[in-house]
Amino acid sequence: MSGSVRAISTALSTSQRSGLLRATKASKEVKRTSSRSGGKGAPSHEVSGTRYEMMKQILYQEEPRQLPQLSSEDVERHMTIMRAQKIHSMTASANRRAERLRKFDSMKNAYEALAALDQRLFDGACQKEANVTFPRQMRVPTETPPTKIWDYLTK
């Protein structure tokens, strides 16, 4: 181990030290395998080499995390919070569903009133335009106000 690595590793925890040692071993292994390819620093393209195995180990092997042990009070507190969150989300979902049903009933009543008032207007309101796949008047929401605030000539 070099002097700078030794000085740094004394201030690190055990898991951090093992990661640092693996990284220094990997960099030495990469240097060693690149020197085999003619000394130009160009990587060798052998797939079965130990260099790639070492890189896979460093990149994809994770150390198992240790979960903290919870006391019985902590478990009870956690379960209470989870139940409260579940009740809140169920209540919010029921409120949204009731709002959707109220809006749909209002739309249905408006259609019925229009059909009773004038059948020609009702048929025109229900007729779809040909080849319209996206609302033409929809504006993409942005953080900035529009450059044209209001069109006063629109009738």
Side-chain angles (χ1 to χ4, degrees):
M1 208 180 332
S2 67
S4 63
V5 173
R6 187 174 295 126
I8 292 172
S9 69
T10 57
L12 301 176
S13 68
T14 306
S15 63
Q16 290 171 332
R17 271 189 231 141
S18 64
L20 182 64
L21 288 174
R22 277 188 291 166
T24 55
K25 285 180 186 176
S27 64
K28 288 178 185 176
E29 180 67 25
V30 168
K31 286 178 187 174
R32 189 170 59 83
T33 56
S34 66
S35 65
R36 279 191 229 150
S37 63
K40 297 177 182 127
S44 64
H45 294 290
E46 55 189 45
V47 177
S48 63
T50 58
R51 174 179 171 211
Y52 288 101
E53 294 301 321
M54 181 75 74
M55 289 170 59
K56 283 185 202 175
Q57 285 178 352
I58 290 171
L59 292 174
Y60 300 116
Q61 254 183 357
E62 292 184 10
E63 307 229 357
R65 285 184 8 181
Q66 296 294 325
L67 296 177
Q69 296 295 322
L70 299 177
S71 65
S72 60
E73 295 88 20
D74 290 337
V75 171
E76 185 177 345
R77 188 178 304 124
H78 175 73
M79 296 306 291
T80 303
I81 290 171
M82 293 302 290
R83 279 193 305 269
Q85 190 272 336
K86 181 75 171 175
I87 291 170
H88 173 72
S89 64
M90 288 172 51
T91 306
S93 176
N95 290 342
R96 285 192 302 271
R97 186 176 194 292
E99 182 69 17
R100 279 194 311 269
L101 288 174
R102 187 189 62 75
K103 287 179 180 180
F104 183 75
D105 288 340
S106 176
M107 184 179 67
K108 187 175 160 186
N109 293 337
Y111 266 115
E112 290 171 358
L114 185 60
L117 183 65
D118 189 357
Q119 188 63 35
R120 185 185 58 82
L121 289 176
F122 177 74
D123 292 339
C126 293
Q127 185 179 10
K128 290 187 178 183
E129 294 183 30
N131 299 327
V132 176
T133 58
F134 193 78
R136 286 178 282 182
Q137 298 163 345
M138 185 173 179
R139 187 175 77 82
V140 177
T142 60
E143 298 276 330
T144 59
T147 55
K148 187 176 183 181
I149 302 297
W150 188 260
D151 185 7
Y152 290 99
L153 301 177
T154 303
K155 295 181 181 180

